[in-house]
Amino acid sequence: MPATEANTDAVHTPERLTLSASAIEITREICDIESVSGNERRLADAIEATLADAAHLEVIRHGNCVVARTDLGRAQRVIIAGHIDTVPVNGNLPTRFETIDGHEYLWGRGTVDMKAGVAVQLKLAAELSEPRVDVTWMWYDNEEVSSDLNGLGLLAADRPDLFEGDFAILGEPSNGQVEGGCNGTLRFELRTRGVRAHSARAWVGDNAIHKLGAVLELLAAYTPREVEVEGLVYREGLNAIGISGGVAGNVIPDEAMVHINYRFAPSSSVAEAIAYMEELFAGYEILIVDASEGARPGLDATIARNFVAAVGAEPRPKYGWTDVARFSALGIPAVNFGPGNPLKAHADDERVATAQIIDGERALRAWLSGN
Amino acid sequence: MPATEANTDAVHTPERLTLSASAIEITREICDIESVSGNERRLADAIEATLADAAHLEVIRHGNCVVARTDLGRAQRVIIAGHIDTVPVNGNLPTRFETIDGHEYLWGRGTVDMKAGVAVQLKLAAELSEPRVDVTWMWYDNEEVSSDLNGLGLLAADRPDLFEGDFAILGEPSNGQVEGGCNGTLRFELRTRGVRAHSARAWVGDNAIHKLGAVLELLAAYTPREVEVEGLVYREGLNAIGISGGVAGNVIPDEAMVHINYRFAPSSSVAEAIAYMEELFAGYEILIVDASEGARPGLDATIARNFVAAVGAEPRPKYGWTDVARFSALGIPAVNFGPGNPLKAHADDERVATAQIIDGERALRAWLSGN
């Protein structure tokens, strides 16, 4: 290492976040620290350095995850988590304020998914030195990419001791509502086979692509189920998300593939979802490529019911798969609760209503303070 | 250029083919000179050098095409052509002899498509110093690849004067029969459009891949037409030869494409074929990517009828597009006539019945000699 680089490292002092500012300002500050998946280090450093000042918190660093725990001997412990990465920036940084129909929005990458939620969490972590439950705050990296990189998953594998808790709240955007559980998801490749031939003499061959017609017609006509689980209605989905086939411009193809995604209600296990697909596509060659269990809403636990009542929300089902499923798999009831409209997540015009940030902070602060 | 390389070039003497050997042996000799498309130079050099010895021929070199002409002042001139390239070798060189059910075959890349035909042509070019018609022999490169590289096409563009003739014979494999004309071919991309959305909330989007179902069902159910042209029945073909679509594993796709090949009888022009496809797929977005006119059989010309009678063949339609269409477009009646089963062209077990080579040589020699 050249001396100059060593010097640079030696004098490197992480930024500190201004957590005394409003949650809206904190959202803006952490959005403008770009942290696309894989590039979370600068933001993780800033979070770690800022919370190191808080005497009521034990701060633990694990890769680019930061965990901060109270240890007040409370009867219950709640895990409150949020991911600090975003999908790639697409001309939508730095952030700016916009007013639409008289409502103020903070516009830019990450404002919805999910730095507004993280900002609320950071502010409360710093300010609530005497919450009525012990809290384990978790901020993690690589949520928006392949599951094997997910910081929360890696943390759970290395430090299961940190995953003790009676309830978990994930700050994913839910329009300030409580969204319980999540659908499971299954991806599989369905293949058809034929016989290759020169396309000038097609009758010698057997066209594999043509055989996908019946599969696509089935998908087009399929009505997804709506399944009630613990009082919430989960809407399923069955879709082709990719299709491929073909050898050359003058060859009858001997193989074709459609890639299908089945989003299934948390009343079904992955095994049951696979069995259902095998029944629906009986006679076709199927290869499972990815599967994640859903999560039941877990809203029958007393602490979960209390939380829902306290924040004054009507619980709804979460359709997309989120990390609540990891808590659910560990036996910890978990919900999504965060500011921002999920339909604006990943959008180029991603923006959060600033009123939702303030409302979210007030509700979570009240519940944690026992007021 | 280093002196050693210059020396190597200076002493380079092209091989000479043994055209006094049997046409079977010549086939073997020129097959074992590998000449996959783009690599024809060595074989073209050998042909040029060998025929330079024949006093009755004017030899013209154009790229890796070799033209050899008689100029005997005959009343009619016939063009006899063959391509010297092959599709890629796949463990099927060098050639070998095989006996199957008591019949002898020469096995290996190029034996069928179309070096057996070229071998017959080379032998007759060298030996027939007094044919009853003037003959323009043409051996050309790059037939098996993109049309814009085709040596015959490039020669026709640069030297239209060489394409004077009353009749043309292309030595493409036709089982020793006369195959007249060829189907035209049209390739087009058919696209469907939808609305992109997260696959967890598919009902917000509109799946473009699902819309291909109806197109594939139409293709699967379609019965190709059989069209009689000048007494020959051409069988058409309509096939998907490629399909694609998909954005990511969690996205409802907003675009999908199926690539379709229509092989149409030479009674239709390209414009008519396009109009028919636009009618069949009315309402779909279509992009034409490639089109070649077919060729009518041309068997009503007196010289063509004489040829068919002389070689004792029953004329058949050619389904695949061949370079006879180039002659047809120039107003020269043209047929395919060569040894080898076209179903073995491009096959890994490509092999020609040696009896077909001898029969083909005898028939063409008799017709050219006027015996």
Side-chain angles (χ1 to χ4, degrees), chain A residues 187 199-203 207 209-210 213-214 216-217 235 239-246 249 251-253 261 263 319-320 343, chain B residues 187 199-203 207 209-210 213-214 216-217 235 239-246 249 251-253 261 263 319-320 343:
Chain A
R187 283 192 294 115
S199 68
R201 289 176 294 274
W203 52 91
N207 196 314
I209 292 178
H210 292 187
L216 298 186
E217 288 285 76
R235 192 166 174 178
N239 274 276
I241 43 90
I243 195 164
S244 63
V251 177
I252 301 301
N261 181 217
R263 302 272 176 163
Y319 296 118
L343 293 179
Chain B
R187 283 192 294 114
S199 68
R201 289 176 293 274
W203 51 92
N207 196 315
I209 291 177
H210 292 187
L216 299 185
E217 288 286 75
R235 192 166 173 178
N239 273 277
I241 44 89
I243 194 164
S244 63
V251 177
I252 301 302
N261 181 217
R263 302 273 176 162
Y319 296 118
L343 294 179

Side-chain angles (χ1 to χ4, degrees), chain A residues 50-72:
Chain A
T50 306
L51 293 180
D53 297 339
H56 63 288
L57 294 172
E58 177 196 7
V59 177
I60 301 148
R61 178 73 177 249
H62 181 274
N64 285 326
C65 295
V66 181
V67 178
R69 303 170 82 244
T70 65
D71 196 4
L72 304 165

Side-chain angles (χ1 to χ4, degrees), chain B residues 271-333:
Chain B
E272 286 165 342
I274 291 174
Y276 178 46
M277 289 298 104
E278 285 175 342
E279 180 194 327
L280 194 62
F281 295 104
Y284 289 99
E285 181 184 331
I286 283 177
L287 177 70
I288 307 295
V289 293
D290 191 34
S292 298
E293 299 284 355
R296 299 183 72 93
L299 294 174
D300 42 3
T302 307
I303 188 169
R305 284 209 306 271
N306 286 348
F307 175 74
V308 170
V311 302
E314 181 68 34
R316 299 175 181 180
K318 186 79 173 173
Y319 296 118
W321 193 93
T322 76
D323 279 315
V324 298
R326 294 186 198 275
F327 293 109
S328 182
L330 294 168
I332 304 171

